[in-house]
């Protein structure tokens, strides 16, 4: 008795696993303070028009690290219509993997606080 097997090859559907974002990859390999430092550099580059060296800066950056487990990037917006620029900065930070909160001290004084895991 002879048994013949017929094999039909069909291409498998390709599937992709969710790829981690650049910020997620960075946070896996770097300390939060290093990730925030890189993020501060990116914010400085993206919003350099508001950070002219010879003038009063509309956007100031500070990394507050008194809590070693949860350092915070503080982006201080101090200008007329600060809220709209803070919106843009907030969106930029979230797109780059940060969690954000805001502090509004006046119409011209808004702070965006960013943290990462």
């Amino acid at each position: 008795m002879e048994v013949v097997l017929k094999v039909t090859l069909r291409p498998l559907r390709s599937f992709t696993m969710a790829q981690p974002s650049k910020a997620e990859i960075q946070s896996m390999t770097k300390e939060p303070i290093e990730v925030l430092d890189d993020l501060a550099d990116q914010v400085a580059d993206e919003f350099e028009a508001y950070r002219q060296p010879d003038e009063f800066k509309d956007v100031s950056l500070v990394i507050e690290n008194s809590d070693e487990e949860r350092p915070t990037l503080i982006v201080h917006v101090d200008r007329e219509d600060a809220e709209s620029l803070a919106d843009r900065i907030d969106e930029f930070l979230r797109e780059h993997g940060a969690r954000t909160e805001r502090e509004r001290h006046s119409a011209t004084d808004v702070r965006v606080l960013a943290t990462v895991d």
Side-chain angles (χ1 to χ4, degrees):
M1 178 170 169
E2 186 176 309
V3 178
V4 177
L5 295 175
K6 183 177 179 182
V7 178
T8 305
L9 297 175
R10 287 187 245 153
L12 294 174
R13 287 186 197 164
S14 64
F15 73 96
T16 57
M17 295 176 60
Q19 297 295 318
S21 70
K22 183 177 177 182
E24 290 170 330
I25 292 169
Q26 286 178 337
S27 64
M28 288 183 233
T29 59
K30 291 184 174 182
E31 293 294 318
I33 193 77
E34 294 172 310
V35 175
L36 287 177
D37 190 43
D38 291 344
L39 192 54
D41 289 343
Q42 292 173 23
V43 170
D45 290 344
E46 182 71 17
F47 297 94
E48 72 179 317
Y50 302 99
R51 297 183 40 77
Q52 298 304 319
D54 296 333
E55 301 174 17
F56 178 78
K57 292 176 176 50
D58 293 337
V59 175
S60 301
L61 304 167
V62 175
I63 295 178
E64 198 280 305
N65 63 352
S66 60
D67 180 355
E68 292 178 16
E69 292 182 18
R70 193 158 192 136
T72 303
L73 170 61
I74 302 169
V75 183
H76 182 205
V77 181
D78 190 5
R79 59 177 268 150
E80 292 297 320
D81 195 27
E83 197 70 35
S84 66
L85 181 55
D87 288 341
R88 291 177 42 214
I89 292 169
D90 191 308
E91 181 180 347
F92 181 85
L93 290 166
R94 284 185 281 116
E95 286 174 355
H96 287 82
R99 285 188 316 279
T100 61
E101 294 179 31
R102 291 220 195 156
E103 292 179 351
R104 184 175 185 179
H105 297 272
S106 71
T108 61
D109 185 356
V110 177
R111 294 176 189 153
V112 181
L113 312 175
T115 57
V116 294
D117 289 327

